[in-house]
Amino acid sequence: MAGPVDFSTVQWARKMSALAQNFAGLAPADLRKLGNFLAKLADLRQQEGELTEQQLQVIMQGLRSKELVKLELAKGGVSVEFSGGGFEYERFLLRADGKVPNNRYETKKAV
């Protein structure tokens, strides 16, 4: 049996448990993709970056068939890199409005 737990630990556990309930219906592969995304999001936040709803939507669409490799703060938005889905890599700048400038988009098809 565990020893005494402080109030802040109990509050944190309740918050995390409530959030985890939202993932109950996800397949293991989706949970892994989400875990990778959350790790990259944590790194972005350490750079003092945040994602807008539009950016988040574009990234989630990419996660369906690809693997997120990079998510970094960049001038003009967020630098995103995916692999998979028929591409060795897909790199682009994702502006706050969810748009990708043509001159900041590059791909290499998988062989």
Side-chain angles (χ1 to χ4, degrees):
M1 183 165 175
V5 180
D6 62 74
F7 181 73
S8 60
T9 299
V10 171
Q11 292 300 96
W12 184 88
R14 285 180 182 158
K15 180 180 174 183
M16 292 299 126
S17 293
L19 290 171
Q21 295 293 325
N22 294 312
F23 307 129
L26 292 179
D30 291 335
L31 284 170
R32 285 185 191 90
K33 285 182 178 194
L34 188 58
N36 179 47
F37 164 74
L38 291 173
K40 303 272 191 280
L41 180 60
D43 292 343
L44 180 70
R45 286 189 175 170
Q46 281 186 321
Q47 299 173 33
E48 310 223 351
E50 281 293 331
L51 294 175
T52 64
E53 182 63 33
Q54 294 88 346
Q55 289 171 322
L56 186 58
Q57 185 68 28
V58 170
I59 291 166
M60 288 298 146
Q61 289 171 7
L63 278 179
R64 183 168 185 269
S65 62
K66 301 171 207 151
E67 184 73 27
L68 183 63
V69 175
K70 181 175 83 170
L71 186 62
E72 293 178 349
L73 200 55
K75 185 176 180 181
V78 176
S79 178
V80 180
E81 182 176 340
F82 285 106
S83 66
F87 295 97
E88 189 173 312
Y89 65 81
E90 181 180 19
R91 299 179 189 134
F92 52 91
L93 176 73
L94 184 56
R95 297 186 326 209
D97 62 3
K99 305 283 186 200
V100 177
N102 287 338
N103 64 339
R104 298 292 304 271
Y105 179 84
E106 59 179 289
T107 63
K108 180 176 182 184
K109 291 239 183 223
V111 179

